[in-house]
Amino acid sequence: GGDSAQNYFARTESIAGVQDMRFQELMPDPLLWLGVEQITNFISMSDMKYDAITSSGITIVNRVDIPEELIPEDAKVEIDAKMYAGYYSGDKQVKTWAELTSTVGREL
């Protein structure tokens, strides 16, 4: 029942045709247009966002991982899959490929 962390990116790709079709390099443009030069607390797992922002010249002071208590059970499949794939995880323990089988979504 439901999706699994092991199959997260395969499912995304089978539906969308790609794992992630967002073009992160353009994402900092609105921040630059608004005059943002520094972000004090950046809360995102995405290295693509982080890299796009910092390569545009915006300074990130603190990179903050999402607190465990704020991640709903329904989001565990996505979060565990992304951490395994190398997304920023802060101090969280990244599961092994075998351990990902224990992360499954709710029954459909």
XYZ file of all heavy atoms in Angstrom:
846
model
N 0.799 -1.186 0.000
C 0.000 0.000 0.000
C 0.840 1.246 0.000
O 1.793 1.378 0.741
N 0.516 2.155 -0.856
C 1.174 3.445 -0.880
C 2.529 3.402 -1.546
O 2.990 2.392 -2.036
N 3.185 4.528 -1.557
C 4.489 4.681 -2.177
C 5.574 4.298 -1.182
O 5.329 4.186 0.013
C 4.662 6.142 -2.607
C 5.708 6.318 -3.686
O 6.268 5.307 -4.164
O 5.970 7.476 -4.053
N 6.778 4.098 -1.665
C 7.894 3.811 -0.764
C 9.040 4.760 -1.075
O 9.154 5.285 -2.180
C 8.360 2.362 -0.930
O 9.011 2.194 -2.170
N 9.903 4.954 -0.087
C 11.046 5.845 -0.267
C 11.984 5.314 -1.350
O 12.590 6.083 -2.088
C 11.794 6.017 1.059
N 12.091 3.978 -1.471
C 12.957 3.400 -2.494
C 12.465 3.733 -3.900
O 13.253 3.810 -4.829
C 13.050 1.891 -2.335
C 13.989 1.458 -1.243
C 14.144 -0.051 -1.213
O 13.232 -0.786 -1.547
N 15.310 -0.504 -0.797
N 11.164 3.907 -4.061
C 10.588 4.137 -5.391
C 10.208 5.587 -5.651
O 9.636 5.890 -6.693
C 9.338 3.267 -5.585
C 9.686 1.801 -5.597
O 10.702 1.409 -6.150
N 8.860 1.001 -4.972
N 10.500 6.492 -4.727
C 10.030 7.874 -4.825
C 10.418 8.528 -6.147
O 9.570 9.041 -6.870
C 10.552 8.706 -3.641
C 10.191 10.164 -3.750
C 8.905 10.585 -3.425
C 11.101 11.103 -4.192
C 8.547 11.920 -3.536
C 10.754 12.432 -4.307
C 9.474 12.836 -3.976
O 9.132 14.160 -4.101
N 11.708 8.526 -6.492
C 12.145 9.215 -7.700
C 11.702 8.475 -8.960
O 11.413 9.099 -9.979
C 13.656 9.440 -7.691
C 14.067 10.521 -6.726
C 14.685 10.210 -5.533
C 13.813 11.856 -7.000
C 15.058 11.203 -4.637
C 14.176 12.863 -6.118
C 14.803 12.527 -4.933
N 11.625 7.142 -8.899
C 11.137 6.373 -10.050
C 9.678 6.715 -10.328
O 9.264 6.865 -11.484
C 11.297 4.874 -9.798
N 8.882 6.860 -9.278
C 7.464 7.223 -9.444
C 7.341 8.631 -10.020
O 6.549 8.876 -10.913
C 6.726 7.155 -8.108
C 6.625 5.802 -7.513
C 5.490 5.016 -8.165
N 5.321 3.763 -7.483
C 5.681 2.589 -7.990
N 6.216 2.517 -9.179
N 5.489 1.490 -7.300
N 8.137 9.555 -9.495
C 8.104 10.936 -9.992
C 8.462 10.965 -11.471
O 7.798 11.615 -12.279
C 9.094 11.816 -9.198
O 8.742 11.765 -7.814
C 9.051 13.252 -9.660
N 9.504 10.231 -11.833
C 9.959 10.222 -13.217
C 8.945 9.544 -14.134
O 8.728 9.976 -15.262
C 11.314 9.532 -13.327
C 11.969 9.735 -14.664
C 13.434 9.323 -14.662
O 13.946 8.884 -13.616
O 14.059 9.457 -15.717
N 8.275 8.491 -13.649
C 7.294 7.806 -14.496
C 6.066 8.673 -14.747
O 5.424 8.554 -15.783
C 6.882 6.462 -13.881
O 6.074 6.651 -12.741
N 5.770 9.570 -13.830
C 4.606 10.449 -13.998
C 4.983 11.715 -14.767
O 4.315 12.106 -15.714
C 4.007 10.823 -12.623
C 3.391 9.575 -11.988
C 2.966 11.930 -12.755
C 3.014 9.736 -10.549
N 6.083 12.354 -14.369
C 6.463 13.644 -14.952
C 7.443 13.516 -16.118
O 7.633 14.469 -16.869
C 7.072 14.540 -13.875
N 8.080 12.369 -16.245
C 9.069 12.198 -17.301
C 10.476 12.559 -16.880
O 11.441 12.231 -17.564
N 10.614 13.258 -15.767
C 11.909 13.633 -15.204
C 11.804 13.587 -13.683
O 10.710 13.634 -13.131
C 12.351 15.059 -15.634
C 12.654 15.115 -17.115
C 11.309 16.081 -15.269
N 12.947 13.515 -13.009
C 12.914 13.496 -11.546
C 12.573 14.862 -10.968
O 11.908 14.963 -9.951
C 14.248 13.007 -10.994
C 14.462 11.533 -11.220
C 15.732 11.025 -10.570
O 16.472 11.756 -9.925
N 15.987 9.747 -10.746
N 13.042 15.926 -11.616
C 12.757 17.282 -11.144
C 12.891 18.221 -12.326
O 13.980 18.383 -12.867
C 13.736 17.684 -10.038
C 13.369 18.996 -9.364
O 12.528 19.743 -9.903
O 13.929 19.276 -8.295
N 11.784 18.840 -12.740
C 11.860 19.683 -13.927
C 11.956 21.175 -13.613
O 11.949 22.004 -14.507
C 10.687 19.403 -14.866
C 9.328 19.791 -14.363
S 8.003 19.323 -15.490
C 8.447 20.165 -16.980
N 12.077 21.504 -12.337
C 12.228 22.914 -11.981
C 13.604 23.395 -12.400
O 14.582 22.673 -12.292
C 12.023 23.109 -10.488
C 10.602 22.746 -10.051
C 10.484 22.730 -8.572
N 11.290 21.622 -8.045
C 11.402 21.337 -6.776
N 10.807 22.064 -5.874
N 12.134 20.331 -6.377
N 13.691 24.625 -12.863
C 14.955 25.210 -13.311
C 15.439 26.139 -12.218
O 15.139 27.326 -12.201
C 14.732 25.941 -14.643
C 15.995 26.259 -15.372
C 16.857 25.255 -15.777
C 16.323 27.572 -15.646
C 18.037 25.551 -16.459
C 17.486 27.888 -16.328
C 18.344 26.871 -16.728
N 16.211 25.594 -11.275
C 16.588 26.328 -10.064
C 17.499 27.519 -10.331
O 17.564 28.444 -9.524
C 17.252 25.377 -9.060
C 16.354 24.266 -8.582
C 15.157 24.727 -7.768
O 15.018 25.891 -7.425
N 14.274 23.812 -7.460
N 18.211 27.525 -11.447
C 19.132 28.622 -11.717
C 18.419 29.972 -11.818
O 19.008 31.013 -11.581
C 19.930 28.366 -13.008
C 20.976 27.279 -12.858
C 20.402 25.861 -12.939
O 19.189 25.701 -13.237
O 21.151 24.921 -12.684
N 17.141 29.957 -12.188
C 16.375 31.206 -12.291
C 15.710 31.603 -10.975
O 15.229 32.718 -10.830
C 15.304 31.078 -13.379
C 15.812 30.846 -14.799
C 14.644 30.646 -15.753
C 16.678 32.002 -15.252
N 15.687 30.691 -10.031
C 14.980 30.922 -8.765
C 15.485 32.139 -7.992
O 14.685 32.874 -7.418
C 15.055 29.641 -7.934
C 14.248 29.646 -6.652
S 15.155 30.228 -5.245
C 16.563 29.180 -5.250
N 16.794 32.458 -7.977
C 17.249 33.625 -7.205
C 16.871 34.972 -7.823
O 16.960 35.998 -7.143
C 18.770 33.480 -7.174
C 19.061 32.095 -7.583
C 17.926 31.642 -8.417
N 16.483 34.996 -9.086
C 16.209 36.276 -9.754
C 15.247 37.178 -8.990
O 15.551 38.356 -8.792
C 15.718 36.052 -11.189
C 16.841 35.614 -12.119
O 18.017 35.629 -11.687
O 16.543 35.239 -13.260
N 14.088 36.679 -8.532
C 13.190 37.576 -7.772
C 13.838 38.094 -6.485
O 13.606 39.235 -6.099
C 11.977 36.702 -7.443
C 12.009 35.594 -8.441
C 13.450 35.384 -8.777
N 14.670 37.259 -5.844
C 15.365 37.717 -4.633
C 16.325 38.854 -4.969
O 16.399 39.847 -4.248
C 16.130 36.551 -3.991
C 15.290 35.362 -3.510
C 16.189 34.230 -3.040
C 14.332 35.784 -2.407
N 17.043 38.700 -6.082
C 17.970 39.752 -6.508
C 17.220 41.024 -6.897
O 17.643 42.128 -6.560
C 18.823 39.256 -7.672
C 19.806 38.136 -7.322
C 20.405 37.538 -8.585
C 20.885 38.645 -6.386
N 16.091 40.880 -7.591
C 15.288 42.049 -7.983
C 14.769 42.798 -6.757
O 14.596 44.012 -6.790
C 14.115 41.635 -8.862
C 14.526 41.088 -10.200
C 15.637 41.386 -10.916
C 13.803 40.132 -10.975
N 15.676 40.680 -12.085
C 14.545 39.900 -12.159
C 12.611 39.441 -10.800
C 14.147 39.025 -13.144
C 12.209 38.561 -11.790
C 12.960 38.359 -12.945
N 14.510 42.047 -5.665
C 14.040 42.664 -4.422
C 15.193 43.209 -3.580
O 14.963 43.785 -2.517
C 13.234 41.652 -3.605
C 11.891 41.244 -4.220
C 11.310 40.046 -3.465
C 10.924 42.413 -4.210
N 16.412 43.008 -4.030
C 17.567 43.549 -3.311
C 18.087 42.678 -2.188
O 18.868 43.137 -1.355
N 17.692 41.415 -2.153
C 18.170 40.513 -1.095
C 19.652 40.223 -1.315
O 20.058 39.812 -2.400
C 17.356 39.194 -1.086
C 17.940 38.200 -0.096
C 15.891 39.473 -0.771
N 20.437 40.456 -0.279
C 21.871 40.186 -0.347
C 22.298 39.086 0.611
O 23.364 38.502 0.454
C 22.665 41.459 -0.031
C 22.451 42.561 -1.052
C 23.173 43.853 -0.688
O 23.795 43.920 0.393
O 23.102 44.791 -1.503
N 21.443 38.832 1.615
C 21.788 37.834 2.633
C 20.517 37.165 3.145
O 19.506 37.824 3.345
C 22.517 38.511 3.790
C 22.851 37.572 4.926
C 23.633 38.275 6.010
O 24.745 38.708 5.767
N 23.045 38.379 7.190
N 20.611 35.868 3.366
C 19.536 35.105 4.005
C 20.125 34.574 5.304
O 21.122 33.850 5.293
C 19.047 33.950 3.103
C 18.458 34.513 1.806
C 18.039 33.075 3.846
C 18.115 33.472 0.762
N 19.518 34.944 6.414
C 20.058 34.545 7.716
C 19.816 33.064 7.990
O 20.733 32.343 8.356
C 19.447 35.405 8.841
O 19.707 36.779 8.536
C 20.055 35.063 10.184
N 18.587 32.606 7.842
C 18.250 31.199 8.082
C 17.591 30.621 6.844
O 16.457 30.963 6.525
C 17.327 31.066 9.295
C 18.019 31.456 10.577
O 19.116 31.005 10.859
N 17.382 32.312 11.358
N 18.288 29.735 6.169
C 17.805 29.111 4.941
C 17.318 27.710 5.288
O 18.096 26.845 5.699
C 18.938 29.052 3.915
C 18.548 28.462 2.597
C 17.711 29.150 1.741
C 19.045 27.234 2.202
C 17.360 28.614 0.511
C 18.708 26.690 0.981
C 17.859 27.378 0.127
N 16.021 27.489 5.135
C 15.431 26.202 5.489
C 14.976 25.521 4.206
O 13.902 25.793 3.677
C 14.256 26.382 6.474
C 14.734 27.141 7.700
C 13.673 25.029 6.859
C 13.647 27.562 8.652
N 15.822 24.653 3.696
C 15.530 23.899 2.482
C 16.494 22.730 2.412
O 17.664 22.853 2.769
C 15.693 24.775 1.240
O 15.544 24.002 0.065
N 16.009 21.607 1.940
C 16.867 20.435 1.750
C 17.588 20.484 0.413
O 18.537 19.749 0.189
C 16.020 19.162 1.806
C 15.386 18.883 3.129
S 14.406 17.375 3.074
C 15.681 16.140 2.941
N 17.145 21.324 -0.487
C 17.611 21.308 -1.868
C 18.990 21.935 -2.045
O 19.178 23.137 -1.843
C 16.614 22.045 -2.757
O 17.105 22.164 -4.068
N 19.947 21.109 -2.456
C 21.270 21.632 -2.790
C 21.191 22.482 -4.051
O 21.967 23.425 -4.214
C 22.264 20.489 -2.993
C 22.634 19.816 -1.684
O 22.630 20.493 -0.642
O 22.927 18.605 -1.700
N 20.258 22.154 -4.954
C 20.114 22.948 -6.176
C 19.677 24.369 -5.846
O 20.191 25.323 -6.428
C 19.121 22.290 -7.132
C 19.659 21.014 -7.758
S 18.564 20.322 -9.009
C 17.189 19.771 -8.020
N 18.756 24.537 -4.902
C 18.350 25.883 -4.484
C 19.502 26.606 -3.799
O 19.784 27.762 -4.082
C 17.151 25.816 -3.533
C 15.850 25.520 -4.203
C 14.721 25.491 -3.200
C 13.456 25.029 -3.897
N 12.517 24.419 -2.995
N 20.147 25.909 -2.878
C 21.278 26.492 -2.140
C 22.360 26.954 -3.110
O 22.848 28.083 -3.031
C 21.831 25.467 -1.147
C 23.036 25.955 -0.395
C 22.907 26.709 0.759
C 24.326 25.659 -0.841
C 24.013 27.171 1.457
C 25.439 26.109 -0.158
C 25.283 26.859 0.988
O 26.383 27.313 1.673
N 22.742 26.080 -4.034
C 23.795 26.407 -4.995
C 23.384 27.570 -5.899
O 24.206 28.448 -6.201
C 24.154 25.189 -5.839
C 24.832 24.089 -5.026
O 25.311 24.372 -3.908
O 24.867 22.951 -5.518
N 22.128 27.585 -6.341
C 21.661 28.671 -7.205
C 21.704 30.010 -6.470
O 22.133 31.021 -7.027
C 20.248 28.382 -7.700
N 21.282 30.017 -5.214
C 21.265 31.253 -4.435
C 22.678 31.750 -4.166
O 22.999 32.915 -4.394
C 20.480 31.058 -3.114
C 18.991 30.919 -3.417
C 20.718 32.219 -2.156
C 18.156 30.492 -2.228
N 23.535 30.860 -3.676
C 24.886 31.296 -3.332
C 25.709 31.658 -4.569
O 26.513 32.592 -4.518
C 25.629 30.233 -2.491
O 25.643 28.992 -3.202
C 24.952 30.052 -1.138
N 25.492 30.969 -5.687
C 26.254 31.312 -6.895
C 25.773 32.623 -7.515
O 26.478 33.222 -8.322
C 26.190 30.183 -7.921
O 24.898 30.035 -8.433
N 24.586 33.091 -7.101
C 24.099 34.383 -7.593
C 24.659 35.545 -6.777
O 24.403 36.701 -7.083
C 22.568 34.430 -7.563
O 22.097 34.595 -6.234
N 25.406 35.215 -5.715
C 26.022 36.259 -4.898
C 25.314 36.530 -3.585
O 25.761 37.348 -2.792
N 24.207 35.848 -3.335
C 23.490 36.010 -2.065
C 24.162 35.127 -1.019
O 24.425 33.955 -1.261
C 21.997 35.641 -2.220
C 21.320 36.582 -3.231
C 21.287 35.676 -0.861
C 19.893 36.180 -3.589
N 24.441 35.709 0.147
C 25.076 34.983 1.241
C 24.029 34.270 2.084
O 23.018 34.866 2.441
C 25.861 35.953 2.147
O 26.804 36.661 1.347
C 26.560 35.236 3.268
N 24.275 33.003 2.397
C 23.428 32.258 3.333
C 24.246 32.051 4.597
O 25.329 31.458 4.560
C 22.964 30.915 2.734
C 22.012 31.185 1.561
C 22.306 30.049 3.799
C 21.509 29.948 0.844
N 23.740 32.584 5.723
C 24.463 32.528 6.990
C 24.311 31.164 7.652
O 25.291 30.520 8.002
C 23.990 33.650 7.949
C 24.721 33.570 9.282
C 24.180 35.010 7.297
N 23.067 30.706 7.836
C 22.784 29.431 8.498
C 21.930 28.556 7.597
O 20.875 28.987 7.136
C 22.018 29.634 9.810
C 22.787 30.461 10.800
O 23.940 30.188 11.079
N 22.149 31.486 11.324
N 22.380 27.348 7.384
C 21.566 26.380 6.656
C 20.912 25.490 7.702
O 21.591 24.795 8.456
C 22.441 25.559 5.719
C 21.611 24.774 4.757
C 22.415 24.363 3.564
N 21.539 23.681 2.626
C 21.952 22.946 1.638
N 23.237 22.799 1.434
N 21.091 22.367 0.834
N 19.589 25.529 7.764
C 18.835 24.865 8.821
C 18.082 23.676 8.241
O 17.379 23.818 7.236
C 17.826 25.852 9.470
C 17.064 25.192 10.596
C 18.549 27.110 9.950
N 18.236 22.508 8.861
C 17.450 21.366 8.394
C 16.048 21.421 9.002
O 15.816 22.093 10.008
C 18.139 20.035 8.691
C 18.350 19.769 10.164
O 18.510 20.731 10.923
O 18.350 18.594 10.551
N 15.133 20.753 8.373
C 13.744 20.751 8.837
C 13.682 19.941 10.131
O 14.078 18.765 10.150
C 12.804 20.146 7.782
C 12.914 20.930 6.472
C 11.358 20.115 8.288
C 12.245 20.256 5.290
N 13.188 20.537 11.221
C 13.108 19.791 12.483
C 12.237 18.547 12.336
O 11.184 18.578 11.707
C 12.470 20.791 13.458
C 12.734 22.134 12.864
C 12.731 21.924 11.371
N 12.712 17.448 12.886
C 12.028 16.151 12.781
C 10.565 16.234 13.206
O 9.686 15.654 12.566
C 12.765 15.105 13.625
C 12.311 13.688 13.396
C 12.657 13.164 12.013
O 13.729 13.481 11.491
O 11.829 12.425 11.450
N 10.287 16.995 14.259
C 8.910 17.078 14.771
C 7.976 17.840 13.822
O 6.758 17.790 13.972
C 8.874 17.693 16.170
C 9.346 19.123 16.268
C 10.852 19.281 16.471
O 11.614 18.303 16.349
O 11.262 20.419 16.751
N 8.526 18.539 12.840
C 7.702 19.262 11.873
C 7.469 18.481 10.577
O 6.793 18.964 9.681
C 8.330 20.621 11.542
C 8.429 21.606 12.699
C 9.061 22.909 12.231
C 7.064 21.864 13.320
N 8.042 17.283 10.490
C 7.854 16.462 9.289
C 6.702 15.495 9.551
O 6.826 14.570 10.355
C 9.140 15.677 8.949
C 10.306 16.638 8.742
C 8.906 14.797 7.722
C 11.647 15.972 8.594
N 5.567 15.703 8.863
C 4.427 14.812 9.081
C 4.722 13.400 8.568
O 5.549 13.209 7.668
C 3.297 15.461 8.281
C 3.893 16.532 7.473
C 5.295 16.748 7.904
N 4.058 12.426 9.134
C 4.251 11.034 8.718
C 4.059 10.873 7.212
O 4.778 10.112 6.571
C 3.307 10.102 9.482
C 3.752 9.809 10.896
C 5.138 9.163 10.965
O 5.399 8.194 10.217
O 5.956 9.627 11.767
N 3.089 11.580 6.636
C 2.816 11.471 5.203
C 3.978 11.969 4.349
O 4.057 11.664 3.168
C 1.561 12.261 4.816
C 0.287 11.523 5.149
O 0.368 10.394 5.661
O -0.793 12.074 4.891
N 4.888 12.736 4.921
C 6.014 13.289 4.166
C 7.281 12.454 4.298
O 8.274 12.725 3.628
C 6.292 14.714 4.622
N 7.269 11.430 5.134
C 8.474 10.635 5.389
C 9.017 9.970 4.129
O 10.221 9.858 3.953
C 8.210 9.564 6.455
C 7.853 10.106 7.808
C 9.050 10.640 8.524
C 8.630 11.040 9.931
N 9.645 11.723 10.646
N 8.138 9.513 3.230
C 8.595 8.867 1.997
C 9.462 9.842 1.202
O 10.581 9.518 0.806
C 7.393 8.379 1.148
C 7.833 8.002 -0.257
C 6.706 7.204 1.818
N 8.962 11.054 0.985
C 9.703 12.049 0.211
C 10.990 12.471 0.927
O 12.055 12.539 0.318
C 8.832 13.268 -0.051
C 9.535 14.352 -0.817
C 8.675 15.574 -1.082
O 7.502 15.602 -0.658
O 9.187 16.508 -1.712
N 10.904 12.758 2.209
C 12.059 13.237 2.969
C 13.159 12.176 3.016
O 14.326 12.470 2.747
C 11.643 13.653 4.401
C 10.648 14.810 4.364
C 12.863 13.988 5.257
C 11.189 16.102 3.802
N 12.801 10.926 3.344
C 13.813 9.867 3.410
C 14.453 9.619 2.044
O 15.664 9.417 1.945
C 13.207 8.568 3.960
C 13.001 8.610 5.465
O 13.402 9.601 6.107
O 12.427 7.642 6.004
N 13.650 9.637 0.986
C 14.185 9.434 -0.363
C 15.147 10.555 -0.737
O 16.223 10.305 -1.303
C 13.046 9.352 -1.373
N 14.787 11.781 -0.426
C 15.637 12.919 -0.767
C 16.934 12.903 0.038
O 18.001 13.200 -0.492
C 14.884 14.231 -0.574
C 13.851 14.459 -1.671
C 13.136 15.770 -1.508
C 12.232 16.029 -2.718
N 11.561 17.317 -2.613
N 16.856 12.557 1.317
C 18.077 12.490 2.123
C 18.996 11.401 1.581
O 20.206 11.599 1.472
C 17.742 12.244 3.600
C 17.139 13.465 4.273
S 16.936 13.398 6.079
C 16.686 11.715 6.478
N 18.438 10.264 1.202
C 19.251 9.181 0.632
C 19.907 9.624 -0.670
O 21.053 9.267 -0.958
C 18.398 7.929 0.398
C 19.186 6.797 -0.197
C 19.979 5.987 0.614
C 19.178 6.567 -1.562
C 20.738 4.965 0.072
C 19.938 5.544 -2.115
C 20.707 4.744 -1.295
O 21.467 3.744 -1.843
N 19.183 10.429 -1.457
C 19.691 10.900 -2.745
C 20.727 12.012 -2.594
O 21.294 12.467 -3.591
C 18.534 11.382 -3.616
N 20.983 12.464 -1.362
C 22.030 13.455 -1.143
C 21.549 14.849 -0.820
O 22.355 15.763 -0.678
N 20.235 15.033 -0.701
C 19.728 16.346 -0.303
C 20.225 16.654 1.109
O 20.523 15.748 1.892
C 18.201 16.358 -0.307
C 17.552 16.468 -1.666
C 17.813 15.547 -2.678
C 16.656 17.486 -1.941
C 17.207 15.645 -3.908
C 16.040 17.589 -3.176
C 16.313 16.665 -4.159
O 15.718 16.757 -5.382
N 20.273 17.926 1.458
C 20.763 18.359 2.761
C 19.927 17.740 3.873
O 18.701 17.817 3.870
C 20.715 19.884 2.852
C 21.230 20.425 4.160
C 22.588 20.422 4.437
C 20.369 20.920 5.116
C 23.070 20.912 5.633
C 20.840 21.414 6.313
C 22.189 21.408 6.568
O 22.666 21.892 7.756
N 20.608 17.120 4.841
C 19.892 16.468 5.936
C 20.321 16.962 7.309
O 19.804 16.483 8.311
C 20.097 14.955 5.854
O 21.474 14.635 5.913
N 21.244 17.910 7.348
C 21.680 18.431 8.649
C 22.258 17.320 9.502
O 23.107 16.561 9.059
N 21.741 17.204 10.719
C 22.229 16.192 11.656
C 21.419 14.900 11.616
O 21.663 14.000 12.418
C 22.200 16.750 13.086
C 23.181 17.903 13.272
O 24.206 17.924 12.566
O 22.905 18.780 14.107
N 20.436 14.824 10.718
C 19.593 13.623 10.658
C 20.386 12.428 10.139
O 21.253 12.561 9.292
C 18.390 13.867 9.745
C 17.391 14.852 10.294
C 16.201 14.951 9.331
C 15.212 15.980 9.790
N 15.758 17.338 9.747
N 20.031 11.262 10.637
C 20.641 10.007 10.179
C 20.029 9.627 8.834
O 18.812 9.508 8.715
C 20.374 8.890 11.205
C 20.910 7.541 10.815
C 22.429 7.494 10.778
O 23.085 8.124 11.605
N 22.986 6.774 9.841
N 20.866 9.456 7.815
C 20.403 9.061 6.494
C 20.278 7.543 6.465
O 21.216 6.823 6.821
C 21.377 9.536 5.390
C 20.912 9.076 4.019
C 21.509 11.053 5.433
N 19.104 7.062 6.034
C 18.867 5.620 5.976
C 19.654 4.987 4.839
O 19.930 5.622 3.829
C 17.375 5.339 5.764
C 16.525 5.715 6.958
C 15.078 5.333 6.737
C 14.259 5.657 7.980
N 12.864 5.232 7.834
N 19.996 3.729 5.024
C 20.628 2.960 3.956
C 19.553 2.547 2.957
O 18.347 2.656 3.228
C 21.305 1.696 4.509
O 20.290 0.821 5.023
C 22.320 2.029 5.593
N 19.990 2.043 1.792
C 19.037 1.583 0.778
C 18.113 0.510 1.359
O 16.902 0.553 1.169
C 19.787 1.055 -0.445
C 18.881 0.568 -1.520
C 18.662 -0.730 -1.874
C 18.035 1.354 -2.374
N 17.744 -0.791 -2.899
C 17.346 0.479 -3.227
C 17.807 2.717 -2.492
C 16.445 0.909 -4.194
C 16.903 3.156 -3.460
C 16.237 2.255 -4.287
N 18.669 -0.412 2.117
C 17.865 -1.479 2.719
C 16.870 -0.911 3.731
O 15.726 -1.387 3.818
C 18.763 -2.510 3.373
N 17.290 0.093 4.496
C 16.399 0.685 5.507
C 15.244 1.466 4.878
O 14.207 1.651 5.512
C 17.180 1.608 6.443
C 18.140 0.856 7.358
C 19.063 1.797 8.114
O 19.424 2.863 7.593
O 19.455 1.427 9.228
N 15.426 1.913 3.631
C 14.358 2.670 2.975
C 13.090 1.835 2.764
O 12.005 2.390 2.620
C 14.822 3.229 1.626
C 15.823 4.368 1.684
C 16.189 4.814 0.271
C 15.307 5.547 2.474
N 13.227 0.520 2.778
C 12.037 -0.320 2.591
C 11.052 -0.141 3.740
O 9.858 -0.384 3.570
C 12.414 -1.808 2.494
O 13.093 -2.208 3.693
C 13.285 -2.092 1.300
N 11.533 0.319 4.884
C 10.634 0.516 6.030
C 9.847 1.825 5.944
O 8.909 2.031 6.717
C 11.417 0.469 7.341
O 12.292 1.578 7.423
N 10.232 2.712 5.027
C 9.518 3.979 4.872
C 8.518 3.835 3.744
O 8.884 3.795 2.576
C 10.494 5.131 4.544
O 11.496 5.194 5.551
C 9.750 6.465 4.492
N 7.253 3.706 4.125
C 6.191 3.559 3.129
C 5.084 4.569 3.398
O 4.885 5.003 4.542
C 5.599 2.136 3.107
C 6.627 1.136 2.617
C 5.091 1.735 4.480
N 4.370 4.923 2.363
C 3.261 5.867 2.498
C 2.028 5.209 3.092
O 1.986 4.005 3.323
N 1.040 6.015 3.294
C -0.214 5.505 3.860
C -0.953 4.667 2.824
O -0.710 4.756 1.636
C -1.086 6.669 4.333
C -1.426 7.658 3.253
C -2.119 8.873 3.868
N -1.937 10.002 3.002
C -2.869 10.491 2.202
N -4.054 9.953 2.165
N -2.619 11.514 1.447
N -1.836 3.850 3.301
C -2.659 3.027 2.414
C -3.489 3.915 1.522
O -3.999 4.957 1.957
C -3.589 2.120 3.236
C -2.848 1.041 4.009
C -2.238 -0.021 3.130
O -2.820 -0.353 2.075
O -1.154 -0.503 3.485
N -3.607 3.544 0.268
C -4.395 4.325 -0.682
C -5.855 3.950 -0.643
O -6.260 2.930 -0.315
C -3.837 4.146 -2.090
C -2.399 4.613 -2.245
C -1.912 4.308 -3.656
C -2.281 6.101 -1.995
